Amino acid sequence: MAKNYSLALAFLLICSSLFGQVSLSGTVADEAGTPLEGVVVLLKPSKLGAISDKGGNFKIEKVPYGKYKLEVSHIGFGKESMNLELNQANPPALSIRMKALDTELDQVVITGKSNEQLQREQPIKIEVISVDQVMEQSTSLPELINQTSGVKVRQSSGIGSQTTININGLQGNAVRFFKDGIPTDYLGYAFNIGLVPTGSIKNVEIYKGVLPIDLGADALGGAINIITTGKDKQYLDASYEIGSFNTHLVNVNSNFIIPNTKLHVGVSGYYTHSDNDYDFDLDITDFNGNVQTHRINRFHDAITGRFVELNAGVHDTKWADLLDIKLSYFSLDNQVQHGIRITQPFGGVSQSETNQILSLTYNKTIRSRLSISLFGAYSQRVGIDQDLSDSLYNWFGEPTQATASGEFQIRDQRIDRENQVFRAALRYELSDNFNLKVSSTFNSSEQVGEDPYGQINIVTGKQPITIPSTYAKMISGIGLGSSFFSDKLKGETFAKHYMLETEAANFWGEDETQALSHRSLGWGQSFKFAFDEFTYARVSYENATRVPESSEYFGDNLFVLPNSTLEPETSDNINLGFATNLNKKNTLSLEINAYYRDTKNFIRVFPLGLINSINRNSDTQITKGIEANFKVQPSETSSISVAITYQDLRRTETTGADRGLEGSRTPNVPYFFTNLSARKSFNNPLALPLKLNVYGNYLFTEQYYFIASSKLLDPPLFGPSASAITSLIPRQHQVNMGLSCILEAVPLSLNFEAINVLNSILYDDFRIPKPFRNFRFKITYRL
């Protein structure tokens, strides 16, 4: 498979050298030379264009050689135009001056839209978070994502801990993660969203319910696509953040273009550390059987992550829009405080991981109609899990008794994993109204381990951990995009093929390994109709399959046990949406989305005892939900947004011991939550050369059970809180506030943020307490 992709890459490199393109760039300013932001630059008769940034800079990429008419327009200025002939011998670098109009405008209507807004208005539902615009904030990536309707992010404890994202009712591995459109399996923990600083990210795309074939994935509940900064511009971003619980985050993200060439080199990396030693309240039973509430400390939960990436390549050349080679290294040291639930504390259990990654990216657009994207990566991961303590601990951090079998299961385990991922994608513009897309993503891994204390299969007499386990899947798709009635009606029609081949070590049977093979098809259709520039309706359907991940088959070799008998999940997904502006000034907007999911062979995480868990196919899950976004933006310097989500997840077709749960809510999933965000900017306050941003965020989560319970015991919406029930996560209110100071004389910003200002009692998965009030301070340098 890898050989085939290499041959394809070589062929495309040769063929693409026959075609030529350039990038049109320049600056726009007024007659006094002051840069103009928001200027619309169009290249006719093509559909290519750009909008100038704060420095008046614009860039139109992938422009085929030829003759064009450049049109430049801006509110309050006269329209400018010029004729251009673009070829390799005449690389354009324009400097445009615009004349202000003498007449005053009673009303201004801005029709230009950002790339992020255009993404949000596609037929397939996508939320776009512009991380680059809030990079100076110390708000973590999970907290930013958590402000989106229909999305709930939870972490098992503090910074760097395992993160669970729920999108429209489905969570866990039903939600896939991508980096620049590539599945992140090969990156391991290096791009866990609870660990990665926001400074290394440009945008976050959140796909809800239906995934386009561009991503080449098999998610049921949606996807998170993390977009990093491109390589065709020079930049240097550096930040340092310090916070409560001895938290330190350092981030560097850079790209340099060698003068007079199309060569670029860059280095990026981060260092994240936190002791995560926050206090929380816990009921503890003493030797006399009395229960008392104690304020205790997480004494064994520190985490340290280190990541560095070197890259080099070319951009905007005759034979490649982008060719980039990356070499990355990641290491993680993680203390483990407890298992899936906050029952038994650990004082010596630990995890570590190292990962070496080599990747290659190639993108090329030919004659503005054919776009080709190729990616390949290889990684070597080594994970070490240890439980060698000779003592058991209590929640006061004190050793209580000696043990010869570790704190929960003695182990000194090393797992070696090799991962490969190859992706090819093609887009061809058949006409002004139709485009064809084809993609295929191949992902494979092999793992083998060793542990002198490892479990032995009593039938075969061998340690399953020492037997190589293999996993391979390929997701391929073909899609047709269409547009009619002057782009008022847009559609996406697609079909997918799912392939899985896995052979996993058998922990209990008479065979050393157990193999599983799967083939299936899926399809989808989406439409969006625009009534006017700001009002549109959207509908989509997908018959989807989710192939279980290798970690679900093999386990995590710590708390999650292996299950080689898992079957893929299937789901019918329906999504309906409507968006509009509510006033003539376009300062009030409303978006409503409804969704329905019918998921068969649903894979649930079943607790085993107080520490372990296992993934199993269970019953059918029916998900119904509605979400709404309301935004108020009275001016460019202020805005308020409200996101409300209600989702009803019910178990059906239950069998055996679960029959009493027929029609009950899916446990450990919030069913009603809201988010209120507000910001206000002050330009040059007190005539000082700086900008102040004040922002706040309020999150409400209704009470819900984290353990399966009968439908008769469903907690009522907004009903009396039964917080004394230990299987119920009570109603929660969280308020965060921050202040950013951006110095205009130098590219420097300072940020202070307070988390959980009200000092509320907050919980996450399986009623694990979150920190009380805590603080962060961040300094950012951008060049």
Side-chain angles (χ1 to χ4, degrees), residues 165-411:
I165 294 185
N166 181 292
I167 298 180
N168 288 166
L170 297 179
Q171 62 184 28
N173 290 319
V175 177
R176 295 293 197 222
F177 291 86
F178 299 81
K179 178 187 178 186
D180 295 323
I182 307 299
T184 58
D185 308 64
Y186 70 101
L187 290 169
Y189 214 93
F191 241 72
N192 179 283
I193 67 167
L195 196 65
V196 177
T198 56
S200 59
I201 300 170
K202 180 181 179 182
N203 293 328
V204 176
E205 297 175 347
I206 303 176
Y207 291 80
K208 297 182 177 181
V210 175
L211 262 65
I213 66 163
D214 309 58
L215 294 180
D218 54 333
L220 293 184
I224 303 290
N225 186 24
I226 297 175
I227 307 297
T228 59
T229 312
K231 302 302 178 184
D232 57 346
K233 294 182 180 180
Q234 288 201 147
Y235 51 84
L236 172 61
D237 300 330
S239 64
Y240 171 66
E241 180 179 333
I242 186 172
S244 303
F245 322 122
N246 193 30
T247 298
H248 302 269
L249 288 83
V250 180
N251 181 75
V252 176
N253 189 29
S254 66
N255 188 63
F256 304 96
I257 298 176
I258 298 176
N260 302 318
T261 73
K262 295 295 185 179
L263 300 174
H264 63 259
V265 295
V267 58
S268 301
Y270 65 80
Y271 169 84
T272 300
H273 173 84
S274 181
D275 290 345
N276 284 325
D277 56 345
Y278 58 86
D279 294 336
F280 64 97
D281 293 335
L282 184 67
D283 292 336
I284 298 178
T285 304
D286 60 23
F287 292 106
N288 298 320
N290 299 318
V291 178
Q292 291 185 333
T293 301
H294 295 268
R295 179 151 294 188
I296 57 179
N297 176 268
R298 295 182 70 91
F299 61 91
H300 186 71
D301 202 26
I303 187 169
T304 303
R306 313 166 191 87
F307 178 78
V308 62
E309 182 173 85
L310 306 176
N311 74 280
V314 298
H315 59 275
D316 296 337
T317 67
K318 183 178 180 180
W319 52 275
D321 297 339
L322 175 67
L323 176 64
D324 194 52
I325 301 175
K326 294 179 180 177
L327 181 63
S328 312
Y329 176 81
F330 170 75
S331 70
L332 173 75
D333 296 304
N334 184 30
Q335 296 177 343
V336 180
Q337 183 66 89
H338 52 74
I340 192 173
R341 295 185 51 190
I342 188 166
T343 51
Q344 177 185 342
F346 303 137
V349 180
S350 65
Q351 291 178 300
S352 65
E353 179 179 296
T354 60
N355 195 358
Q356 302 175 71
I357 309 160
L358 176 64
S359 65
L360 172 67
T361 302
Y362 173 78
N363 297 328
K364 176 61 182 173
T365 300
I366 303 173
R367 298 282 186 190
S368 74
R369 286 194 174 274
L370 177 62
S371 300
I372 300 169
S373 175
L374 299 174
F375 177 85
Y378 171 78
S379 68
Q380 290 184 328
R381 296 164 56 194
V382 178
I384 296 177
D385 302 314
Q386 293 181 318
D387 181 8
L388 303 174
S389 176
D390 56 6
S391 298
L392 299 180
Y393 289 80
N394 61 24
W395 271 112
F396 300 102
E398 304 166 341
T400 58
Q401 66 182 73
T403 177
S405 57
E407 295 184 71
F408 78 100
Q409 182 181 342
I410 188 169
R411 69 181 66 197

Side-chain angles (χ1 to χ4, degrees), residues 26 136 168 177 190 293 345 428 563 682 709:
E136 74 277 358
N168 288 166
F177 291 86
T293 301
Y428 184 73
N563 185 355
F682 301 90
S709 59

Side-chain angles (χ1 to χ4, degrees), residues 45-87:
S46 75
K47 295 184 179 181
L48 301 174
I51 299 176
S52 64
D53 59 20
K54 292 181 179 180
N57 303 300
F58 69 88
K59 187 172 186 179
I60 305 176
E61 302 181 31
K62 305 175 184 178
V63 182
Y65 295 164
K67 296 181 179 181
Y68 299 91
K69 182 178 182 180
L70 184 77
E71 291 188 355
V72 182
S73 59
H74 192 47
I75 298 299
F77 291 82
K79 182 179 292 187
E80 303 288 341
S81 64
M82 64 184 71
N83 295 319
L84 295 174
E85 182 173 357
L86 304 179
N87 55 62

Side-chain angles (χ1 to χ4, degrees), residues 236-238 742-749 779-783:
L236 172 61
D237 300 330
I742 303 173
L743 306 178
E744 295 183 348
V746 290
L748 195 70
S749 65
I779 181 170
T780 304
Y781 177 83
R782 305 185 72 175
L783 182 62

Side-chain angles (χ1 to χ4, degrees), residues 72-112:
V72 182
S73 59
H74 192 47
I75 298 299
F77 291 82
K79 182 179 292 187
E80 303 288 341
S81 64
M82 64 184 71
N83 295 319
L84 295 174
E85 182 173 357
L86 304 179
N87 55 62
Q88 191 175 23
N90 181 30
L94 305 177
S95 179
I96 302 172
R97 296 293 178 95
M98 302 189 71
K99 295 181 180 181
L101 296 175
D102 294 331
T103 58
E104 295 184 0
L105 299 179
D106 294 330
Q107 183 180 12
V108 175
V109 178
I110 301 176
T111 59

